Amino acid sequence: MASHQLDVYQNEKGLPKEALAIFETLEVSEEQQRDIMRILNESMNKGLCPETHDEAAVKMLPSYVRSLPNGTEKGTYMSLDMGGSNFRVLLAELTDKGLKVQVDRYHLPEEILSGTADMFFGYIADNIELFMKNHCPDGTFDELPLGFTFSFPSDQHSLNSADLNLWTKGFAVKGVVGKDVVRLLQDALDKKNIKVRTVAIINDTVAALIAGAYYNNNCHIGLIIGTGINAAYMEQLSNVGTWKGDHNEPRQVVINIEMGGFGDDGVIEFVRTEIDYDLDSRTVNKGNQLVEKMISGKYLGEVARIILVKLTRLGVAFGGKLPKGLEEDWIFATSFISEIVGGDTEDKQPNSRRILQSLGADDPSPADCRLLHAICARVTQRSAMLAASLVGGLLYRLKKPLTGIAVEGSMYKGFPAFRERMTEKIAELSPDYKAEFTLVEDGPGKGSAVLAAVVARMDLDNQ
Ligand code: BGC
């Protein structure tokens, strides 16, 4: 039996040579991984330096979060977690006994994702109103403070204002880039007379770090590997040349790395392939988030589909005739990859078969099922290798014997083969600076509620 779900077809017996040629291009050697670790560090320095920041691919955005929670925060706070095709609204109660949350999830339909700013924020406000009807009986609260987790690259000007730089992960709402998203949200809430005040905005990685620190004070990195990939960590102000705030104690600030943009300046071309160029050309943000497009859940399914389509055109899959269902861009979900890698083996591929049938291949041959399984394993393997290099690079930068990492996201949570391969590889790449991963369920939502509580505590301290 294979030692790991991703090690199937080690000798690749019986796979077409055209597939093996593509697989070879997807390999990332240990030497390349170490290069990535080193280059990531250089890219991070460029993002922090005022002279190079504008053209830097890794933006290193200061969050205005200067201290992490100390567990004494109390009260009831709301949070809005917006960053994928679903958003969450949370009501968090912080007491001596810890954190209790009520969470509802809402879907963002395609027409809202590509509609106008008014439609988008109006839709969110409607759902916050609905949430309050269900969870906050009339008269319970005068005005609820809300922490807004907004998981897109944004320039912050204070703890509660941030201008969107660019949409990622397939979002294309018009009229938001360059605008303060806190203002847009607050106006939409005020228009409907909803008694909620947005007191802080943070990235999901910053929120994960805050939530992780609330439970464990050895937590130094917040990491998201889901629809997108990114991380945040605490940096000394003396290293943040772009910092525009005060230099009072504590002389530190949490940095949202915006790691998904790594490579947008050409530094990872040595691992990009024809498949990646093809994928990029099908996205709404061409030329941006290049490493994210090789790793995260928004894209992996499409990477696999592109390979399958290419092999069909070469005549070595489906007898040269692509099943109807596979013709559509983005139809092949990353969750299919996870089901296939998790359930199929070298001898039997029931999941590949079922998924191909659902996509219009009536009777896929055993060879086609094996091929799809092998593609999914290879695409996952590469994603895990690249993610490990990015996290390994961060561990080297922090240089702590043990770094606590608070992590969330569907790729980490719901894709065990990916998670295991990535964490194994991190341990190999960074033997001296170890990582301890803690999954913070709903960390992005909880973190901004805790931050709202920190803001309230600071306001009280300043009175
Ligand atoms: C966004 C980041 C976010 C990450 C994970 C990326 O596409 O640019 O801001 O943290 O996805 O959600």
Side-chain angles (χ1 to χ4, degrees), residues 83 150-153 168-169 203-205 224 227-230 256 258 289 292:
F150 184 67
S151 309
F152 301 93
T168 60
K169 297 176 282 198
N203 187 259
D204 52 355
T205 55
I224 304 288
T227 312
I229 180 166
N230 190 15
N256 161 20
E258 283 301 334
Q289 304 293 103
E292 178 163 277

Side-chain angles (χ1 to χ4, degrees), residues 133-207:
K133 280 213 179 89
N134 292 335
H135 298 276
C136 315
D138 261 358
T140 334
F141 303 106
D142 290 342
E143 189 180 60
L144 269 171
L146 174 129
F148 183 11
T149 304
F150 184 67
S151 309
F152 301 93
S154 317
D155 277 329
Q156 288 211 224
H157 306 298
S158 65
L159 202 48
N160 65 354
S161 66
D163 298 347
L164 173 65
N165 285 346
L166 58 113
W167 286 120
T168 60
K169 297 176 282 198
F171 274 58
V173 184
K174 296 172 201 73
V176 187
V177 172
K179 301 256 173 65
D180 177 3
V181 288
V182 172
R183 198 56 282 142
L184 294 174
L185 172 65
Q186 193 61 52
D187 285 350
L189 292 167
D190 292 348
K191 225 185 249 167
K192 294 180 196 291
N193 240 331
I194 301 171
K195 291 196 187 129
V196 168
R197 174 89 11 226
T198 313
V199 296
I201 179 164
I202 40 173
N203 187 259
D204 52 355
T205 55
V206 180

Side-chain angles (χ1 to χ4, degrees), residues 265-298:
D265 52 358
V267 295
I268 59 161
E269 289 308 300
F270 63 99
V271 283
R272 291 184 73 227
T273 69
E274 293 294 326
I275 305 293
D276 301 303
Y277 305 144
D278 191 339
L279 178 109
D280 186 43
S281 73
R282 293 162 198 263
T283 60
V284 289
N285 57 344
K286 291 186 195 49
N288 289 320
Q289 304 293 103
L290 296 183
V291 88
E292 178 163 277
K293 289 174 183 168
M294 301 167 86
I295 297 178
S296 73
K298 170 80 194 166

Side-chain angles (χ1 to χ4, degrees), residues 37 46 54 60 131 155 180-181 221 263 270 295 318 408:
M37 290 164 69
K46 282 191 189 146
D54 285 354
M60 304 294 282
F131 179 92
D155 277 329
D180 177 3
V181 288
I221 291 179
F270 63 99
I295 297 178
F318 307 114
E408 242 287 24

Side-chain angles (χ1 to χ4, degrees), residues 66 237 243 245-252:
R66 305 278 295 272
L237 277 188
W243 175 243
D246 69 59
H247 280 75
N248 302 338
E249 292 287 350
R251 294 203 180 95
Q252 54 178 20

Side-chain angles (χ1 to χ4, degrees), residues 279 296-307 326 330-337 375-376 379:
L279 178 109
S296 73
K298 170 80 194 166
Y299 306 101
L300 281 200
E302 182 65 0
V303 172
R305 193 193 68 92
I306 290 173
I307 299 175
L326 274 166
W330 305 102
I331 191 79
F332 199 85
T334 299
S335 58
F336 292 163
I337 299 194
I375 293 172
C376 291
V379 165

